[in-house]
Short mmCIF file of all heavy atoms in Angstrom, two decimals:
data_model
loop_
_atom_site.label_atom_id
_atom_site.label_comp_id
_atom_site.label_asym_id
_atom_site.label_seq_id
_atom_site.Cartn_x
_atom_site.Cartn_y
_atom_site.Cartn_z
N LYS A 1 44.74 -108.80 135.30
CA LYS A 1 45.99 -109.27 135.91
C LYS A 1 45.72 -110.48 136.79
O LYS A 1 44.63 -110.63 137.33
CB LYS A 1 46.60 -108.16 136.78
CG LYS A 1 47.08 -106.96 136.03
CD LYS A 1 47.65 -105.96 137.01
CE LYS A 1 47.98 -104.66 136.33
NZ LYS A 1 48.44 -103.65 137.30
N SER A 2 46.72 -111.30 136.95
CA SER A 2 46.60 -112.44 137.85
C SER A 2 46.35 -111.96 139.27
O SER A 2 46.91 -110.95 139.71
CB SER A 2 47.86 -113.30 137.81
OG SER A 2 48.01 -113.86 136.52
N GLU A 3 45.47 -112.66 139.97
CA GLU A 3 45.11 -112.38 141.36
C GLU A 3 44.67 -110.93 141.57
O GLU A 3 44.97 -110.32 142.59
CB GLU A 3 46.27 -112.74 142.29
CG GLU A 3 46.60 -114.22 142.26
CD GLU A 3 47.69 -114.61 143.22
OE1 GLU A 3 47.90 -113.90 144.22
OE2 GLU A 3 48.32 -115.65 142.97
N SER A 4 43.93 -110.39 140.61
CA SER A 4 43.56 -108.97 140.68
C SER A 4 42.11 -108.70 141.09
O SER A 4 41.73 -107.55 141.26
CB SER A 4 43.82 -108.30 139.33
OG SER A 4 42.99 -108.86 138.33
N ILE A 5 41.32 -109.74 141.25
CA ILE A 5 39.91 -109.48 141.58
C ILE A 5 39.53 -110.12 142.90
O ILE A 5 40.04 -111.18 143.29
CB ILE A 5 38.96 -109.93 140.46
CG1 ILE A 5 39.08 -111.43 140.16
CG2 ILE A 5 39.20 -109.14 139.19
CD1 ILE A 5 38.05 -111.92 139.17
N ASP A 6 38.60 -109.46 143.58
CA ASP A 6 38.10 -109.94 144.87
C ASP A 6 36.89 -110.85 144.71
O ASP A 6 36.66 -111.74 145.52
CB ASP A 6 37.69 -108.77 145.78
CG ASP A 6 38.85 -107.84 146.09
OD1 ASP A 6 39.96 -108.34 146.31
OD2 ASP A 6 38.64 -106.61 146.09
N LEU A 7 36.09 -110.57 143.69
CA LEU A 7 34.84 -111.29 143.51
C LEU A 7 34.60 -111.53 142.03
O LEU A 7 34.59 -110.58 141.23
CB LEU A 7 33.68 -110.48 144.09
CG LEU A 7 32.28 -111.07 143.93
CD1 LEU A 7 32.16 -112.38 144.71
CD2 LEU A 7 31.24 -110.06 144.41
N ALA A 8 34.40 -112.79 141.66
CA ALA A 8 34.04 -113.15 140.29
C ALA A 8 32.61 -113.66 140.30
O ALA A 8 32.27 -114.56 141.07
CB ALA A 8 34.98 -114.23 139.75
N LEU A 9 31.77 -113.06 139.47
CA LEU A 9 30.38 -113.49 139.32
C LEU A 9 30.26 -114.22 137.99
O LEU A 9 30.56 -113.64 136.95
CB LEU A 9 29.43 -112.29 139.33
CG LEU A 9 29.41 -111.43 140.57
CD1 LEU A 9 28.51 -110.22 140.35
CD2 LEU A 9 28.94 -112.24 141.76
N ASN A 10 29.82 -115.43 138.03
CA ASN A 10 29.63 -116.22 136.82
C ASN A 10 28.15 -116.57 136.77
O ASN A 10 27.68 -117.39 137.55
CB ASN A 10 30.51 -117.46 136.86
CG ASN A 10 30.32 -118.31 135.64
OD1 ASN A 10 29.42 -119.14 135.60
ND2 ASN A 10 31.16 -118.11 134.64
N ILE A 11 27.42 -115.93 135.86
CA ILE A 11 25.97 -116.06 135.82
C ILE A 11 25.55 -116.68 134.50
O ILE A 11 25.70 -116.07 133.44
CB ILE A 11 25.30 -114.69 136.03
CG1 ILE A 11 25.78 -114.09 137.35
CG2 ILE A 11 23.79 -114.82 135.99
CD1 ILE A 11 25.38 -112.66 137.57
N PHE A 12 25.08 -117.91 134.57
CA PHE A 12 24.57 -118.63 133.39
C PHE A 12 25.61 -118.64 132.27
O PHE A 12 25.28 -118.40 131.11
CB PHE A 12 23.28 -117.98 132.89
CG PHE A 12 22.04 -118.25 133.72
CD1 PHE A 12 22.05 -118.12 135.09
CD2 PHE A 12 20.86 -118.60 133.09
CE1 PHE A 12 20.91 -118.35 135.84
CE2 PHE A 12 19.71 -118.83 133.84
CZ PHE A 12 19.74 -118.71 135.22
N ALA A 13 26.86 -118.90 132.59
CA ALA A 13 27.92 -118.85 131.59
C ALA A 13 28.90 -120.00 131.80
O ALA A 13 28.92 -120.62 132.87
CB ALA A 13 28.67 -117.51 131.71
N PRO A 14 29.70 -120.30 130.80
CA PRO A 14 30.77 -121.29 131.00
C PRO A 14 31.70 -120.84 132.12
O PRO A 14 31.79 -119.65 132.43
CB PRO A 14 31.50 -121.30 129.65
CG PRO A 14 30.52 -120.76 128.68
CD PRO A 14 29.69 -119.77 129.44
N ARG A 15 32.39 -121.81 132.73
CA ARG A 15 33.24 -121.51 133.89
C ARG A 15 34.64 -122.10 133.70
O ARG A 15 34.92 -123.16 134.22
CB ARG A 15 32.62 -122.12 135.15
CG ARG A 15 31.32 -121.49 135.54
CD ARG A 15 30.41 -122.44 136.28
NE ARG A 15 29.99 -123.58 135.47
CZ ARG A 15 29.01 -123.54 134.56
NH1 ARG A 15 28.35 -122.45 134.33
NH2 ARG A 15 28.71 -124.61 133.86
N PRO A 16 35.51 -121.42 132.98
CA PRO A 16 36.86 -121.95 132.82
C PRO A 16 37.63 -121.79 134.14
O PRO A 16 38.11 -120.71 134.48
CB PRO A 16 37.45 -121.09 131.71
CG PRO A 16 36.71 -119.80 131.79
CD PRO A 16 35.33 -120.15 132.28
N ALA A 17 37.72 -122.87 134.88
CA ALA A 17 38.30 -122.83 136.23
C ALA A 17 39.70 -122.23 136.24
O ALA A 17 40.04 -121.45 137.14
CB ALA A 17 38.31 -124.24 136.83
N SER A 18 40.53 -122.55 135.25
CA SER A 18 41.91 -122.07 135.26
C SER A 18 41.98 -120.54 135.17
O SER A 18 42.77 -119.90 135.86
CB SER A 18 42.72 -122.70 134.14
OG SER A 18 42.14 -122.38 132.89
N GLU A 19 41.14 -119.94 134.33
CA GLU A 19 41.14 -118.47 134.19
C GLU A 19 40.53 -117.80 135.41
O GLU A 19 41.00 -116.76 135.87
CB GLU A 19 40.36 -118.05 132.95
CG GLU A 19 41.09 -117.53 131.77
CD GLU A 19 42.33 -116.73 132.00
OE1 GLU A 19 43.39 -117.33 132.22
OE2 GLU A 19 42.28 -115.49 131.90
N LEU A 20 39.47 -118.38 135.94
CA LEU A 20 38.87 -117.82 137.15
C LEU A 20 39.85 -117.90 138.32
O LEU A 20 40.01 -116.95 139.08
CB LEU A 20 37.56 -118.55 137.47
CG LEU A 20 36.44 -118.30 136.48
CD1 LEU A 20 35.32 -119.31 136.66
CD2 LEU A 20 35.91 -116.88 136.60
N LEU A 21 40.56 -119.01 138.44
CA LEU A 21 41.56 -119.16 139.50
C LEU A 21 42.71 -118.17 139.30
O LEU A 21 43.17 -117.56 140.26
CB LEU A 21 42.09 -120.60 139.50
CG LEU A 21 43.09 -120.92 140.60
CD1 LEU A 21 42.43 -120.84 141.97
CD2 LEU A 21 43.68 -122.30 140.37
N ARG A 22 43.16 -118.01 138.08
CA ARG A 22 44.29 -117.10 137.81
C ARG A 22 43.96 -115.67 138.22
O ARG A 22 44.78 -114.97 138.79
CB ARG A 22 44.65 -117.13 136.32
CG ARG A 22 45.81 -116.21 135.95
CD ARG A 22 46.03 -116.12 134.45
NE ARG A 22 44.95 -115.43 133.75
CZ ARG A 22 44.82 -114.10 133.71
NH1 ARG A 22 45.66 -113.30 134.36
NH2 ARG A 22 43.82 -113.55 133.03
N THR A 23 42.75 -115.22 137.96
CA THR A 23 42.40 -113.82 138.19
C THR A 23 41.92 -113.52 139.61
O THR A 23 41.99 -112.38 140.05
CB THR A 23 41.32 -113.37 137.19
OG1 THR A 23 40.18 -114.21 137.32
CG2 THR A 23 41.85 -113.42 135.77
N LEU A 24 41.47 -114.52 140.33
CA LEU A 24 40.92 -114.31 141.67
C LEU A 24 42.05 -114.19 142.69
O LEU A 24 42.97 -115.01 142.71
CB LEU A 24 40.02 -115.49 142.03
CG LEU A 24 39.04 -115.31 143.16
CD1 LEU A 24 38.03 -114.20 142.84
CD2 LEU A 24 38.31 -116.61 143.44
N ASN A 25 41.98 -113.16 143.54
CA ASN A 25 43.04 -113.01 144.55
C ASN A 25 42.91 -114.09 145.63
O ASN A 25 41.93 -114.82 145.69
CB ASN A 25 43.09 -111.59 145.11
CG ASN A 25 41.97 -111.28 146.07
OD1 ASN A 25 41.48 -112.11 146.80
ND2 ASN A 25 41.55 -110.02 146.07
N ARG A 26 43.90 -114.19 146.47
CA ARG A 26 43.99 -115.27 147.47
C ARG A 26 42.77 -115.37 148.38
O ARG A 26 42.38 -116.45 148.78
CB ARG A 26 45.24 -115.11 148.33
CG ARG A 26 46.52 -115.19 147.55
CD ARG A 26 46.95 -116.61 147.38
NE ARG A 26 48.15 -116.64 146.56
CZ ARG A 26 48.39 -117.58 145.67
NH1 ARG A 26 47.55 -118.54 145.49
NH2 ARG A 26 49.48 -117.55 144.96
N ASP A 27 42.19 -114.24 148.74
CA ASP A 27 41.02 -114.23 149.63
C ASP A 27 39.72 -114.00 148.88
O ASP A 27 38.68 -113.78 149.51
CB ASP A 27 41.19 -113.14 150.70
CG ASP A 27 42.37 -113.43 151.60
OD1 ASP A 27 42.56 -114.60 151.97
OD2 ASP A 27 43.10 -112.48 151.94
N GLY A 28 39.76 -114.06 147.56
CA GLY A 28 38.59 -113.76 146.75
C GLY A 28 37.54 -114.87 146.77
O GLY A 28 37.78 -115.97 147.27
N ARG A 29 36.41 -114.54 146.21
CA ARG A 29 35.30 -115.49 146.13
C ARG A 29 34.80 -115.57 144.69
O ARG A 29 34.81 -114.59 143.95
CB ARG A 29 34.12 -115.05 147.01
CG ARG A 29 34.43 -115.04 148.50
CD ARG A 29 34.57 -116.47 149.02
NE ARG A 29 34.74 -116.51 150.45
CZ ARG A 29 35.92 -116.55 151.07
NH1 ARG A 29 37.04 -116.53 150.37
NH2 ARG A 29 35.99 -116.62 152.38
N LEU A 30 34.36 -116.74 144.34
CA LEU A 30 33.72 -117.00 143.07
C LEU A 30 32.26 -117.35 143.36
O LEU A 30 31.98 -118.24 144.15
CB LEU A 30 34.39 -118.18 142.35
CG LEU A 30 33.66 -118.77 141.14
CD1 LEU A 30 33.49 -117.74 140.03
CD2 LEU A 30 34.39 -120.02 140.64
N ILE A 31 31.34 -116.61 142.74
CA ILE A 31 29.92 -116.90 142.87
C ILE A 31 29.42 -117.36 141.51
O ILE A 31 29.58 -116.67 140.50
CB ILE A 31 29.14 -115.66 143.35
CG1 ILE A 31 29.65 -115.24 144.74
CG2 ILE A 31 27.64 -115.95 143.38
CD1 ILE A 31 29.01 -113.98 145.27
N VAL A 32 28.82 -118.54 141.50
CA VAL A 32 28.32 -119.14 140.28
C VAL A 32 26.79 -119.28 140.40
O VAL A 32 26.30 -119.87 141.35
CB VAL A 32 28.94 -120.54 140.05
CG1 VAL A 32 28.36 -121.19 138.81
CG2 VAL A 32 30.46 -120.44 139.94
N ALA A 33 26.08 -118.70 139.44
CA ALA A 33 24.62 -118.82 139.39
C ALA A 33 24.25 -119.60 138.13
O ALA A 33 24.76 -119.31 137.05
CB ALA A 33 23.97 -117.44 139.38
N PHE A 34 23.39 -120.58 138.29
CA PHE A 34 22.97 -121.40 137.15
C PHE A 34 21.50 -121.78 137.32
O PHE A 34 20.98 -121.81 138.44
CB PHE A 34 23.86 -122.63 137.01
CG PHE A 34 23.94 -123.50 138.24
CD1 PHE A 34 23.10 -124.59 138.38
CD2 PHE A 34 24.83 -123.20 139.26
CE1 PHE A 34 23.16 -125.39 139.51
CE2 PHE A 34 24.89 -123.99 140.40
CZ PHE A 34 24.05 -125.09 140.53
#
């Protein structure tokens, strides 16, 4: 669901910003490891 997650972990993967933004809640964090 939109804005349904608190933390998105993206590890060695593509990063579609629009989908990550859609699913991350207002106070959520995105962690990207590369």
Side-chain angles (χ1 to χ4, degrees):
K1 293 180 188 176
S2 295
E3 297 183 24
S4 64
I5 59 174
D6 299 320
L7 177 65
L9 299 175
N10 179 274
I11 303 170
F12 286 47
R15 293 151 297 280
S18 60
E19 252 326 81
L20 292 165
L21 183 66
R22 180 188 68 78
T23 57
L24 198 62
N25 74 33
R26 298 274 177 217
D27 296 320
R29 295 290 185 265
L30 167 62
I31 298 176
V32 177
F34 56 95

